[in-house]
Amino acid sequence: MSEGAAPDGQDVPVEELPGGLRAAVEAILMVADRPVTDEQVAAALDRSAAQVGAVLVDLQREYDGYTGSGSQGAEHPMPRGFELRNIAGGWRIFSRQHFASVVADFVLDGQSARLSQAALETLAVIAYRQPVSRARVSAIRGVNVDSVVRTLLQRGLVVELETDPETGAVLYGTTTLFLERLGLGSVDELPRIAPHLPGLESLGEYDETTY
């Protein structure tokens, strides 16, 4: 049902719901488990994408503390503990990065869910050279990466994209979840490799090698 319902089952115009269209958009954002586009939200609320898009941008500014007047105006923003980001082609609410350690302590309760160094290095190679085969990743890293790639697949960070028509090898790439975790809109926003990943800045040397 796109606009809410009265107790007797009759549709209620979204503007007549508590908080109107803004609150309805927020309600959808709160239950979204992945980024949602203007069009998806608009379809659910039976409103135009332009109308919903304006609300999303306004909510983003509100959460960042820019209300335009009073003590919370543009000169003295008072951001919320959460923010609305436009990433991976859609909108989603995240806890603000400043509170990452606080949230991690609460969610993980002292247990680490970090990727190993080997997994991080393998993920970096895949991210920067996708679509890429396991054999090529192994050649770049100098070690077998089969088990590491399986871990990344299980975590939902990489996915099988296609098969190389010449070698028959499965080619891997990163997922939308990977973009979400890094807060990126696309892989084009990945930072330059050096100096963040010393030793991987010469990946291009492997592009002409067949594996």
Side-chain angles (χ1 to χ4, degrees), residues 157-169:
L157 297 173
V158 302
V159 65
E160 296 181 0
L161 294 178
E162 56 192 61
T163 300
D164 188 310
E166 295 184 2
T167 66

Side-chain angles (χ1 to χ4, degrees), residues 4 13 20-21 30 45 57 63 90 95 98 101 116 146 159 165 172-173 175 194-195 197 207:
L21 178 60
M30 291 302 298
L45 299 176
V57 171
Y63 299 158
S95 58
H98 300 81
S101 61
S116 67
D146 288 0
V159 65
Y172 296 88
T175 64
L197 298 170
D207 285 346

